[in-house]
C-alpha cells in the first residue's frame, strides 16, 4: 500500500528486485550514485586545486603539502615555530637617516648563491690624520761631512714621523685600500762658511728603506757662517693594497753634508695621512 508495490512472492518468500529499487535512491552532496549499477561512492569535486583523491586502498586521501622550497635570501621552515624570514648578513654600519638614496635604484643588497644569505658589499671608509712634531730636542750642534745621507739623532735617538696602519683599519679587512702621506718640513740650519748640504727625509716602508726624498739643497758655500730657514714637502702614496694588510710608513729627517758642517737648530714636521678603501 501507499504506492507502487515492489514486493514479489517467490518460493522462499517475499523479495525485491534490485533494478526496481535503484530509481528510489538518490545521492546528496559529496556522494555519487549510479542507478544503472546501483553503486554509491564518494563524489570528488572537479574544482581546480582540489587535493582529495582516491588512495591506493580505495579510501579518500589528501596528499600532504610538498615541503616549502626556501629560495635565496630566506630562512625558516614556514611553520609557526619556524616562520619564513629574511636571511641577512649584518653590515658594519647601521642604516641612518641621512642616507638619501632610494632603495630601488641604489641598493647594493645581493643574494649569495653559495650561502643563500642576503648581503651587501662592505662599506667604503676614509680617514685623515694630522700631527706636527718638533724633532730637535735637543738641537744637533754640528754635523758633517756625512759621506751620504744620515738620519738625524737628537739625543741619540733617531727622529721620525710614523704611521703604523693596522690590518683592520676602517674596513680594510674586507676591501683593497690605499693611502697618501705628505710631510712638510720647516728646518732651521746654521751653516759654517764652507758648508754645502742637502736636507730631506729617508722614507721606509714596512721596515725597508724605500727612497730618499730631498726637500732643499745648498751646493755653493756661503763663504761666511749663516743661519737660514728652509722648507719643503715630500709625499708618498699607495693605492691598491690587498685587504687586511698592515702598512708601516716612516719618514726619517736626514741630511747629506757634502762639505763643512751644519747645526740643526730646529726641524718641524707637519704631517698628514689620508686613507681610503677601494674596489
Amino acid at each position: 500500500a501507499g504506492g507502487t508495490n515492489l514486493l514479489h512472492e517467490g518460493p522462499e518468500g517475499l523479495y525485491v528486485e534490485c533494478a526496481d529499487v535503484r530509481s528510489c535512491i538518490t545521492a546528496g552532496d559529496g556522494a555519487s550514485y549510479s542507478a544503472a549499477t546501483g553503486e554509491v561512492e564518494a563524489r570528488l569535486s572537479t574544482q581546480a586545486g582540489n587535493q582529495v583523491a582516491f588512495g591506493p586502498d580505495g579510501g579518500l586521501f589528501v596528499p600532504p603539502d610538498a615541503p616549502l622550497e626556501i629560495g635565496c635570501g630566506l630562512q625558516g621552515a614556514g611553520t609557526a615555530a619556524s616562520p619564513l624570514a629574511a636571511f641577512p648578513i649584518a653590515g658594519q654600519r647601521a642604516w641612518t637617516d641621512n642616507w638619501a638614496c632610494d632603495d630601488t635604484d641604489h641598493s647594493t643588497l645581493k643574494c649569495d648563491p653559495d650561502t643563500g644569505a642576503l648581503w651587501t658589499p662592505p662599506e667604503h671608509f676614509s680617514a685623515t690624520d694630522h700631527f706636527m712634531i718638533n724633532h730637535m730636542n735637543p738641537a744637533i750642534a754640528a754635523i758633517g761631512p756625512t759621506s751620504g745621507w744620515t738620519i738625524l739623532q737628537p739625543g741619540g735617538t733617531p727622529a721620525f714621523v710614523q704611521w703604523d696602519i693596522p690590518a683592520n683599519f676602517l674596513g680594510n679587512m674586507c676591501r683593497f685600500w690605499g693611502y697618501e702621506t705628505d710631510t712638510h718640513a720647516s728646518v732651521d740650519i746654521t751653516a759654517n762658511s764652507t758648508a754645502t748640504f742637502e736636507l730631506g727625509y729617508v722614507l721606509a716602508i714596512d721596515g725597508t728603506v724605500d727612497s730618499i726624498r730631498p726637500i732643499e739643497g745648498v751646493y755653493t758655500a756661503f763663504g761666511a757662517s749663516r743661519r737660514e730657514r728652509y722648507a719643503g714637502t715630500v709625499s708618498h702614496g699607495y693605492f691598491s693594497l690587498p685587504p687586511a694588510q698592515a702598512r708601516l710608513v716612516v719618514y726619517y729627517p736626514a741630511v747629506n753634508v757634502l762639505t763643512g758642517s751644519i747645526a740643526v737648530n730646529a726641524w718641524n714636521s707637519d704631517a698628514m695621512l689620508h686613507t681610503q678603501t677601494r674596489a
Side-chain angles (χ1 to χ4, degrees), residues 83-95:
L84 289 179
F87 182 23
I89 293 179
Q92 293 176 305
R93 297 180 63 193
W95 191 272

Side-chain angles (χ1 to χ4, degrees), residues 29-32 41-54 60:
D29 291 343
S32 175
E41 64 178 359
R43 181 168 63 89
L44 304 182
S45 172
T46 59
Q47 190 76 25
N50 183 24
Q51 298 296 307
V52 181
F54 292 110
L60 295 176

Side-chain angles (χ1 to χ4, degrees), residues 115-255:
T115 65
L118 298 172
W119 67 282
T120 60
E123 292 88 350
H124 279 293
F125 289 92
S126 63
T128 299
D129 189 19
H130 169 263
F131 55 88
M132 187 175 73
I133 300 175
N134 179 7
H135 301 286
M136 295 302 110
N137 187 17
I140 297 177
I143 182 171
T146 59
S147 300
W149 284 92
T150 297
I151 294 172
L152 298 178
Q153 300 190 49
T157 302
F160 64 88
V161 177
Q162 174 176 297
W163 293 277
D164 189 358
I165 307 172
N168 60 347
F169 183 67
L170 288 179
N172 73 7
M173 75 289 286
C174 299
R175 288 186 176 273
F176 275 71
W177 66 286
Y179 65 88
E180 301 167 79
T181 62
D182 60 76
T183 301
H184 178 79
S186 178
V187 188
D188 182 347
I189 298 291
T190 298
N192 72 1
S193 60
T194 61
T196 56
F197 55 91
E198 295 176 301
L199 309 175
Y201 289 93
V202 174
L203 172 63
I205 305 296
D206 292 334
T208 301
V209 172
D210 176 84
S211 56
I212 305 296
R213 302 297 176 93
I215 58 174
E216 189 69 54
V218 176
Y219 300 112
T220 301
F222 295 140
S225 178
R226 297 181 62 176
R227 182 171 180 174
E228 302 282 351
R229 182 172 291 277
Y230 304 94
T233 300
V234 296
S235 61
H236 169 73
Y238 200 95
F239 303 106
S240 190
L241 285 167
Q245 178 174 318
R247 196 72 156 184
L248 178 63
V249 181
V250 185
Y251 290 92
Y252 296 96
V255 298

